[in-house]
Amino acid sequence: KAGVTQTPRYLIKTRGQQVTLSCSPISGHRSVSWYQQTPGQGLQFLFEYFSETQRNKGNFPGRFSGRQFSNSRSEMNVSTLELGDSALYLCASSPGLAAVGDTQYFGPGTRLTVL
Amino acid sequence: AQTVTQSQPEMSVQEAETVTLSCTYDTSESDYYLFWYKQPPSRQMILVIRQEAYKQQNATENRFSVNFQKAAKSFSLKISDSQLGDAAMYFCAYLSRGATNKLIFGTGTLLAVQP
């Protein structure tokens, strides 16, 4: 099976712009989770989508949003970018059976730089 | 709220030797899952090993094994016969059993392998 793919791999934006990142999960996986990784804050959970519905959300401002399509592909959007949004954004997919403790498989990440 | 602590920011091991990475966590839950992920310089997060809290037997995967002490809330990773390719950042992560796939990560331990 193909792994989790994320596009684009690298992105440079300026403050105030918005950005959309994409994640394609492993075939058959219905859950997609997003994480932000920064040197200062480490790995932080953004949100999880399962069957096109947001199942959980981390402690991030409303500028961070996401969605999931019927084919389980997911996008996350960050509006009005700030310098502090510079980070590696990781997407993880899993079958979606959270009740039995899914193992999440990660994509290669999107490196976002905000100037 | 659950927390995960990795008290060793950096570790070093000689090739072919054994090293143990420490992880402690805090939770009031009785049923949960613990993971070790490896993040090499490529930044791709790779699953190393998984442990179900209800299983007393420690998980093993080839050269990787864990020492899971539920009462002490400790979950250490032992790497035997260390190889140069084991050099990476290692993250301990906690997952509640329930209706979400939110992983809670520790701050990581950077492992160097000396030839």
Side-chain angles (χ1 to χ4, degrees):
Chain A
K1 278 186 179 179
V4 180
T5 58
Q6 291 187 246
T7 56
R9 294 291 312 277
Y10 302 91
L11 208 47
I12 300 175
K13 292 286 187 179
T14 56
R15 280 179 296 174
Q17 288 187 309
Q18 76 163 16
V19 66
T20 299
L21 312 181
S22 180
C23 172
S24 292
I26 292 170
S27 178
H29 284 190
R30 297 166 63 193
S31 169
V32 173
S33 299
W34 289 88
Y35 296 85
Q36 182 195 62
Q37 185 175 23
T38 60
Q41 299 298 317
L43 280 151
Q44 294 186 286
F45 173 80
L46 279 155
F47 31 63
E48 180 206 1
Y49 284 87
F50 175 72
S51 293
E52 301 180 64
T53 301
Q54 188 180 84
R55 190 155 67 173
N56 199 358
K57 188 177 191 304
N59 189 25
F60 279 82
R63 300 185 297 106
F64 291 82
S65 63
R67 60 178 175 169
Q68 187 180 35
F69 301 95
S70 58
N71 62 357
S72 294
R73 188 178 69 87
S74 177
E75 290 181 347
M76 69 163 280
N77 183 277
V78 188
S79 62
T80 318
L81 284 166
E82 300 177 0
L83 294 178
D85 297 334
S86 294
L88 180 68
Y89 289 88
L90 293 166
C91 158
S93 87
S94 66
L97 305 174
V100 295
D102 272 345
T103 292
Q104 295 179 45
Y105 298 92
F106 285 80
T110 294
R111 167 73 66 186
L112 172 64
T113 301
V114 181
L115 302 176
Chain B
Q2 296 79 29
T3 59
V4 177
T5 301
Q6 293 180 251
S7 58
Q8 305 156 315
E10 297 183 15
M11 293 279 286
S12 182
V13 63
Q14 291 292 129
E15 201 174 0
E17 296 294 306
T18 296
V19 65
T20 298
L21 308 184
S22 300
C23 173
T24 59
Y25 57 95
D26 190 29
T27 183
S28 58
E29 299 173 335
S30 59
D31 201 5
Y32 48 87
Y33 305 84
L34 296 165
F35 302 85
W36 279 97
Y37 281 92
K38 164 186 174 181
Q39 188 178 43
S42 68
R43 309 309 298 272
Q44 173 88 49
M45 195 78 79
I46 301 165
L47 175 69
V48 175
I49 203 163
R50 163 196 165 105
Q51 174 78 44
E52 290 88 351
Y54 63 87
K55 289 185 178 179
Q56 292 188 334
Q57 186 174 3
N58 290 324
T60 62
E61 286 289 341
N62 300 314
R63 298 183 295 106
F64 299 87
S65 61
V66 298
N67 183 4
F68 173 50
Q69 302 288 328
K70 191 172 184 179
K73 296 179 183 174
S74 170
F75 182 60
S76 60
L77 175 70
K78 185 171 82 170
I79 305 173
S80 304
D81 186 24
S82 296
Q83 300 175 0
L84 295 177
D86 294 334
M89 182 73 88
Y90 286 80
F91 291 97
C92 178
Y94 176 101
L95 178 68
S96 297
R97 180 187 175 116
T100 180
N101 273 331
K102 176 183 177 180
L103 278 169
I104 299 170
F105 286 92
T107 52
T109 296
L110 182 60
L111 178 66
V113 180
Q114 307 299 330

